[in-house]
Amino acid sequence: MLKTRIKRSELIFNLIIIALFAITASTQLLSAYGAVCVTYNIPTGRPSPPFPAGETWWNVFAYAEAFAGVYIPMNILTWILAFAWGFLIYAYITKWPWKRFFLVGVIVSALGFISGIIPAIISDTGGFTADFDFGSPHWGRTMANALMLVILLLMNFVPRLNIATKKFVEERSVAGQYIKQLIYMSLFFFWLGAASFLGTTFMADAHLVNGLNVWQTIEIQFIGGVITSIIGASMLSTALIYSQIRPSSALIKTK
């Protein structure tokens, strides 16, 4: 009985870890979407209460233009790291050596933290021209990556968690099982697609300017949702087709 409970707890623990990877990825993606308008001074597309005709994002957030040299590389890094978390999920379920996985995971979460905290501090101080006022949307990915960094350290240095992690990787690995890999990764991209489509609702409170949800003035999150959903659908379709052409050994019953 004890052995069964331990295995079940190990499975639940690792499923939570994978879910946290996916949530961190979506937080990165939403944060990347949300910063695009100000970072690149994208036109609002139509006059609105906070944006009279001819006014731009940099007129409203003047410090963004002065710190464009910081915001732009941080935004690019944020996009990259959103998908890096997806790669970590793939590495986790395909039996990567733990030391290599841990090193890459720490690097990704540390970069995610840095890519968030720097623009967060700049934004919350108005480009270092005002007192610090916590509330920038950049803090979302900052805290998510900080949490994942702590979790990765616990997984590596707490013996019981380290054993649970390694046993999961050894016993539940889908290395070589291409159909399962495609299905799992398609779920990841479908998750990113859902997060993209629902971003307007998720991020509404953080993007209210004079009563208007400025997130609604751009459509990049919709385009991103379409692209990630198409990738997910392509992966799932490929898995289904491949299963008919070359069935997985896991599907072959032996007598």
Side-chain angles (χ1 to χ4, degrees):
M1 292 297 292
L2 179 59
K3 185 177 181 181
T4 301
R5 285 198 299 270
I6 291 176
K7 285 191 174 181
R8 185 176 301 169
S9 66
E10 290 171 351
L11 176 61
I12 292 173
F13 166 74
N14 282 279
L15 290 177
I16 291 174
I17 293 300
I18 293 174
L20 287 174
F21 286 172
I23 291 172
T24 305
S26 62
T27 303
Q28 285 283 139
L29 190 64
L30 288 176
S31 189
Y33 285 140
V36 162
C37 47
V38 176
T39 299
Y40 303 100
N41 201 31
I42 293 178
T44 61
R46 57 184 173 83
S48 55
F51 303 104
E55 193 167 28
T56 69
W57 292 94
W58 284 355
N59 292 137
V60 179
F61 305 103
Y63 59 84
E65 181 176 9
F67 288 91
V70 175
Y71 278 102
I72 291 175
M74 292 298 101
N75 183 256
I76 293 173
L77 183 59
T78 300
W79 284 103
I80 294 172
L81 294 176
F83 295 95
W85 280 107
F87 175 77
L88 282 171
I89 293 177
Y90 175 80
Y92 199 68
I93 63 176
T94 54
K95 208 173 180 178
W96 256 40
W98 170 250
K99 288 184 178 180
R100 185 193 305 172
F101 176 86
F102 173 70
L103 178 61
V104 175
V106 167
I107 292 174
V108 170
S109 55
L111 288 175
F113 177 80
I114 292 171
S115 75
I117 195 169
I118 293 176
I121 292 175
I122 294 174
S123 298
D124 285 347
T125 58
F128 304 106
T129 62
D131 293 335
F132 179 79
D133 183 16
F134 180 85
S136 166
H138 298 287
W139 286 108
R141 72 176 183 275
T142 302
M143 292 186 288
N145 282 280
L147 174 62
M148 291 312 303
L149 181 58
V150 171
I151 289 175
L152 286 168
L153 292 173
L154 291 176
M155 290 168 65
N156 189 66
F157 294 111
V158 176
R160 184 169 182 178
L161 298 182
N162 187 258
I163 292 172
T165 298
K166 291 181 177 179
K167 286 180 65 177
F168 176 85
V169 171
E170 290 292 329
E171 296 177 6
R172 303 280 175 172
S173 172
V174 295
Q177 301 179 39
Y178 304 115
I179 295 174
K180 287 186 177 181
Q181 291 176 22
L182 285 168
I183 291 174
Y184 291 153
M185 295 314 297
S186 73
L187 293 176
F188 171 73
F189 279 98
F190 282 137
W191 163 250
L192 292 186
S196 300
F197 288 128
L198 296 173
T200 301
T201 301
F202 291 158
M203 305 296 287
D205 291 342
H207 289 82
L208 289 176
V209 179
N210 292 346
L212 176 76
N213 179 6
V214 296
W215 188 282
Q216 296 174 333
T217 65
I218 57 173
E219 297 180 350
I220 188 171
Q221 78 280 2
F222 177 79
I223 297 173
V226 171
I227 293 174
T228 49
S229 296
I230 289 175
I231 294 174
S234 299
M235 287 183 169
L236 183 59
S237 299
T238 302
L240 295 176
I241 294 172
Y242 189 74
S243 68
Q244 297 301 314
I245 297 174
R246 184 181 178 183
S248 171
S249 60
L251 301 177
I252 300 176
K253 296 181 180 180
T254 57
K255 295 183 180 179

